[in-house]
């Protein structure tokens, strides 16, 4: 990576962040903010739009995980968590909250770049899959509304399915709208009129 990654560093430990900050800077990252409480995390991430978030914690508390989940929902970013807690339950909770990489027992400066690279690649792949899923869901919803609108036209005008589809298509083209939007308008108008 040529451009220095911009990071937000979250401190949820009793120890100083100096060693982690120094290791990140030495590895070529830019630490744009340090947050001493996950409470402010969502606001900081929304405002600064970092490339990734690093969380240093002894063991992620429920509060920390809840704030990560809120941030992940509002402004998703790759999240790398360095922790001493290797319990299976905590790992699962962290992943569900949106943590991309969960690193247990120590921080080796030599491992920082590969860990962040993997976390970002994994995050990008998951985002791509989420987008594909959302697109597929929308296509299914659109298909259902188009089929419903065709059914209404077939019944109301006493025409076959192909003629109903062509009428919807022609109306969409004339109005410069998507076929699904014209179908949605027809269904809503029919429901309104009874």
């Amino acid at each position: 990576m040529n451009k220095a990654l911009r990071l937000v560093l979250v401190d949820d430990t009793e120890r100083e962040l100096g060693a982690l900050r120094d290791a990140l800077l030495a590895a070529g990252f830019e630490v744009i903010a340090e947050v001493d409480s996950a409470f402010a995390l969502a606001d900081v991430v929304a405002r600064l739009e970092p490339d990734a978030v690093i969380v240093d914690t002894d063991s992620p508390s429920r509060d920390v995980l809840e704030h990560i989940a809120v941030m992940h929902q509002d402004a998703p970013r790759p999240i790398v968590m360095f922790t001493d807690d290797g319990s299976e339950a905590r790992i699962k909770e962290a992943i569900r909250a949106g943590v991309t990489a969960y690193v247990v027992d120590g921080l080796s400066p030599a491992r920082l770049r590969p860990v962040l690279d993997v976390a970002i690649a994994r995050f990008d792949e998951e985002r791509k899959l989420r987008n594909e899923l959302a697109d597929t869901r929308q296509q299914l919803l659109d298909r259902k509304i188009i089929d419903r609108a065709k059914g209404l036209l077939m019944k109301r005008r006493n025409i076959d399915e192909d003629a109903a589809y062509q009428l919807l298509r022609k109306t969409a083209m004339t109005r410069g709208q998507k076929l699904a939007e014209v179908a949605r308008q027809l269904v809503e108008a029919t429901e309104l009129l009874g």
Side-chain angles (χ1 to χ4, degrees), residues 4 8 11 13 24 49 55 78 93 96 103 114 139 167 170 192:
V8 167
D11 180 16
T13 66
L24 289 166
E49 299 181 354
V55 180
E93 289 172 359
R96 271 194 301 270
V103 181
Q139 288 172 0
L167 182 57
K170 180 181 176 189
L192 184 63

Side-chain angles (χ1 to χ4, degrees), residues 47-164:
R47 185 170 35 86
L48 298 178
E49 299 181 354
D51 297 312
V53 174
I54 307 293
V55 180
D56 189 17
T57 183
D58 296 320
S59 177
S61 69
R62 185 170 307 279
D63 286 344
V64 168
L65 294 176
E66 285 175 8
H67 290 295
I68 287 172
V70 168
M71 183 222 74
H72 185 67
Q73 183 177 3
D74 296 341
R77 295 286 184 279
I79 303 167
V80 177
M81 182 174 283
F82 292 100
T83 182
D84 297 328
D85 188 346
S87 74
E88 186 176 336
R90 278 293 186 229
I91 293 170
K92 287 180 180 179
E93 289 172 359
I95 298 300
R96 271 194 301 270
V99 172
T100 315
Y102 191 93
V103 181
V104 180
D105 288 335
L107 163 69
S108 164
R111 288 182 22 200
L112 276 175
R113 171 129 342 245
V115 166
L116 272 155
D117 288 346
V118 168
I120 290 169
R122 180 174 174 228
F123 176 83
D124 288 343
E125 190 61 30
E126 287 176 359
R127 181 175 34 198
K128 179 181 161 196
L129 290 173
R130 280 191 303 272
N131 290 343
E132 287 174 4
L133 179 60
D135 289 346
T136 301
R137 284 182 178 157
Q138 188 59 53
Q139 288 172 0
L140 287 172
L141 291 173
D142 289 350
R143 186 81 215 137
K144 283 175 72 174
I145 199 80
I146 290 167
D147 285 346
R148 191 161 170 214
K150 285 191 306 187
L152 291 170
L153 286 172
M154 290 165 60
K155 183 177 179 182
R156 194 72 129 215
R157 294 205 173 189
N158 197 23
I159 56 178
D160 67 9
E161 184 178 359
D162 188 52

